[in-house]
Amino acid sequence: MFLMRFTERAYVNYTEEDVRNSPNEAVRLTFSNSNFDPQEGHYLYNMYLDEYQYSEEVGFDGLMLNEHHNTPTCLGATMNLEAAILARTTTKPKIVLLGNPLPIFDNPLRLAEELAEIDMISGGRLVSGFVRGTGVESLATNTNPLYNRERFEEAHDLVLKTWTTPGPFRWEGKHYQFRVVNPFQVPLQKPHPPIWIPGTGSPETLVWCAEHNYPYIFLETDPQGTEDMKSIYAETAREHGYEPGPENFGYLVRIHVQDTDEKAYDVGKGYMVGNIGVGRIPLPRDYASPVGYGSRSDDPRFLRLREQIRSDPFRVGGLDSAHYDEILDSRRWIIGSPDTVVSQLREVLSYMRPGILAVWTNDGSISHQDTMRCLELMGEEVLPRLREIGEELELTDPFQKMAQQQSGS
């Protein structure tokens, strides 16, 4: 099982009143950057990078980064820059980007070059993930949401051809046209870095991932719904001649460890002001899903697949509006002492069976001191036991699967 560490890298130096006074009471897109203190940003960026470097020391297999725009809930506005720094300052863990929002790039060739440099600087440790991005990303970059999926797929195809086909060649697509495609820098890994796709389970993306044999990383999704979504992936995979295993699936879950259950419970409340923002004020619906952003497919297959996925018990507002104790009782977040965390994770892993586990260790108002203690306990007590559970449950990850195939076993 592949174990990677993640945090959204939030900025929380503002108040609920600040959000209430923003246009449309939104903490994303229209929340004024007058609420941002660059001096505090200087401290936070370096703190988060220090925490990622320490994550290598405690034994994580991967360092996961993401990207969002126009929001204090994620300081990773230029994820590839952070990745380049970590590529130089770490030596062993994979640099996992989940991921670059392809539809907002007007020049995917520049993205292909950036990722190639990261792969070379890191010595071939890049895992390149791609996403459609939230509705906010489209609005923030003036990208027509109507073409989000089309641009995603075409940009993906262009980046892959750029990495794998010697130039110069010409690209004449619907959304991208280049007379000369010939970036001089190409990735170290051949034919290209691994590609993983994160998401919350749209049938179109699940089918697309299975068609490409890309691992799909479920982002804090409901266990029952995840089981249904995995079956959609598996159905498509079988149509394309392979049987998916744990190596085709990942799961992101918030896990925070402290010396005692009581301490962890108290510290873990800091998550509540991270991803949704201080005050936990719901984002306007048209910000999250602007007109045209959602699926327009009337394909009977996708309509059938959509109906196949059971509803999330937290169907109104999701985890962002749920009560803290409700989330913990549902095992959607796992917070406690090392023994408690390992016991609850065994349940989750037995049911979800991911070959890739993304551990969201801290966010929001969780302090640097508490984060470092969490990471220390993860390295000393949790990660070794998770590896044993992974072996016991035969949760093969993509790199283990590749090694097995190469050895013929």
Side-chain angles (χ1 to χ4, degrees), residues 47-116:
M47 180 192 79
Y48 287 134
L49 288 168
D50 287 344
E51 291 171 1
Y52 270 113
Q53 287 182 245
Y54 186 59
S55 298
E56 172 181 28
E57 186 177 329
V58 303
F60 278 98
D61 302 315
L63 309 177
M64 174 183 163
L65 296 166
N66 71 331
E67 179 170 317
H68 286 294
H69 296 268
N70 292 41
T71 178
T73 62
C74 175
L75 287 180
T78 53
M79 169 185 61
N80 294 342
L81 178 59
E82 297 173 88
I85 295 170
L86 291 173
R88 185 68 177 85
T89 59
T90 64
T91 59
K92 294 181 180 179
K94 303 290 185 182
I95 310 297
V96 185
L97 306 184
L98 297 182
N100 273 288
L102 291 182
I104 73 171
F105 288 100
D106 288 328
N107 185 359
L109 302 185
R110 173 61 183 263
L111 174 63
E113 291 173 319
E114 289 180 6
L115 295 174

Side-chain angles (χ1 to χ4, degrees), residues 265-396:
Y265 179 87
D266 184 57
V267 173
K269 292 177 183 177
Y271 279 122
M272 304 297 281
V273 296
N275 193 44
I276 188 59
V278 173
R280 304 188 75 204
I281 301 168
L283 192 68
R285 185 169 182 176
D286 59 336
Y287 281 24
S289 184
V291 174
Y293 174 80
S295 172
R296 298 173 59 247
S297 174
D298 57 0
D299 186 321
R301 181 185 185 189
F302 290 127
L303 294 175
R304 172 180 63 83
L305 294 177
R306 203 166 289 114
E307 294 174 353
Q308 180 178 316
I309 301 172
R310 281 170 282 186
S311 296
D312 190 329
F314 297 123
R315 57 177 61 88
V316 180
L319 294 178
D320 291 339
S321 62
H323 293 296
Y324 185 51
D325 287 337
E326 288 180 316
I327 298 171
L328 299 186
D329 290 343
S330 72
R331 298 291 189 265
R332 299 287 282 276
W333 298 355
I334 298 176
I335 292 173
S337 66
D339 288 341
T340 297
V341 164
V342 170
S343 175
Q344 293 185 8
L345 270 175
R346 176 182 284 277
E347 295 177 30
V348 172
L349 294 173
S350 297
Y351 185 81
M352 305 289 274
R353 295 193 55 76
I356 302 162
L357 183 67
V359 180
W360 189 341
T361 60
N362 62 290
D363 208 338
S365 58
I366 296 176
S367 71
H368 176 62
Q369 180 180 358
D370 288 330
T371 295
M372 294 297 278
R373 182 55 179 161
C374 170
L375 293 172
E376 183 179 20
L377 290 170
M378 290 290 297
E380 291 176 351
E381 301 192 45
V382 178
L383 295 184
R385 293 157 73 180
L386 287 184
R387 296 190 193 285
E388 293 176 359
I389 294 172
E391 291 183 9
E392 175 190 329
L393 298 177
E394 298 182 328
L395 301 180
T396 305

Side-chain angles (χ1 to χ4, degrees), residues 189-191 398-409:
Q189 298 181 81
K190 301 301 178 186
F399 303 106
Q400 292 171 326
K401 186 68 174 181
M402 182 183 300
Q404 292 173 1
Q405 292 172 339
Q406 292 174 346
S407 66
S409 60

Side-chain angles (χ1 to χ4, degrees), residues 25-47:
E25 297 187 272
V27 76
R28 300 192 184 203
L29 188 64
T30 53
F31 186 61
S32 175
N33 59 13
S34 65
N35 293 291
F36 179 70
D37 177 2
Q39 190 62 43
E40 177 72 3
H42 161 74
Y43 167 75
L44 289 174
Y45 277 116
N46 285 281
M47 180 192 79

Side-chain angles (χ1 to χ4, degrees), residues 93-361:
K94 303 290 185 182
I95 310 297
V96 185
L97 306 184
L98 297 182
N100 273 288
L102 291 182
I104 73 171
F105 288 100
D106 288 328
N107 185 359
L109 302 185
R110 173 61 183 263
L111 174 63
E113 291 173 319
E114 289 180 6
L115 295 174
E117 287 197 34
I118 293 169
D119 194 48
M120 287 183 283
I121 293 169
S122 69
R125 291 185 284 131
L126 174 67
V127 175
S128 183
F130 300 130
V131 297
R132 291 177 58 205
T134 69
V136 169
E137 270 63 64
S138 289
L139 296 173
T141 55
N142 202 34
T143 304
N144 190 337
L146 183 65
Y147 301 120
N148 182 279
R149 188 173 292 278
E150 289 182 10
R151 285 171 64 91
F152 171 85
E153 294 184 4
E154 186 179 339
H156 162 272
D157 294 347
L158 176 54
V159 169
L160 262 290
K161 185 170 182 179
T162 299
W163 281 346
T164 57
T165 304
F169 61 85
R170 188 171 184 137
W171 183 273
E172 295 292 345
K174 179 177 179 179
H175 298 284
Y176 302 102
Q177 298 84 36
F178 293 95
R179 295 178 65 184
V180 178
V181 180
N182 191 33
F184 203 69
Q185 295 84 356
V186 293
L188 180 61
Q189 298 181 81
K190 301 301 178 186
H192 58 76
I195 295 174
W196 299 354
I197 307 296
T200 55
S202 73
E204 292 87 346
T205 304
L206 288 164
V207 168
W208 183 85
C209 280
E211 289 173 343
H212 289 80
N213 201 355
Y214 290 158
Y216 189 91
I217 316 301
F218 293 97
L219 303 179
E220 291 195 296
T221 48
D222 166 57
Q224 288 189 331
T226 304
E227 183 179 27
D228 300 332
M229 291 182 276
K230 287 175 67 176
S231 70
I232 292 172
Y233 184 110
E235 176 185 321
T236 306
R238 294 178 189 122
E239 291 172 356
H240 285 75
Y242 71 97
E243 183 66 30
E247 66 275 5
N248 293 94
F249 302 107
Y251 190 61
L252 170 69
V253 59
R254 296 185 216 202
I255 302 171
H256 190 81
V257 190
Q258 291 294 329
D259 292 278
T260 66
D261 289 338
E262 293 76 17
K263 171 73 172 177
Y265 179 87
D266 184 57
V267 173
K269 292 177 183 177
Y271 279 122
M272 304 297 281
V273 296
N275 193 44
I276 188 59
V278 173
R280 304 188 75 204
I281 301 168
L283 192 68
R285 185 169 182 176
D286 59 336
Y287 281 24
S289 184
V291 174
Y293 174 80
S295 172
R296 298 173 59 247
S297 174
D298 57 0
D299 186 321
R301 181 185 185 189
F302 290 127
L303 294 175
R304 172 180 63 83
L305 294 177
R306 203 166 289 114
E307 294 174 353
Q308 180 178 316
I309 301 172
R310 281 170 282 186
S311 296
D312 190 329
F314 297 123
R315 57 177 61 88
V316 180
L319 294 178
D320 291 339
S321 62
H323 293 296
Y324 185 51
D325 287 337
E326 288 180 316
I327 298 171
L328 299 186
D329 290 343
S330 72
R331 298 291 189 265
R332 299 287 282 276
W333 298 355
I334 298 176
I335 292 173
S337 66
D339 288 341
T340 297
V341 164
V342 170
S343 175
Q344 293 185 8
L345 270 175
R346 176 182 284 277
E347 295 177 30
V348 172
L349 294 173
S350 297
Y351 185 81
M352 305 289 274
R353 295 193 55 76
I356 302 162
L357 183 67
V359 180
W360 189 341
T361 60

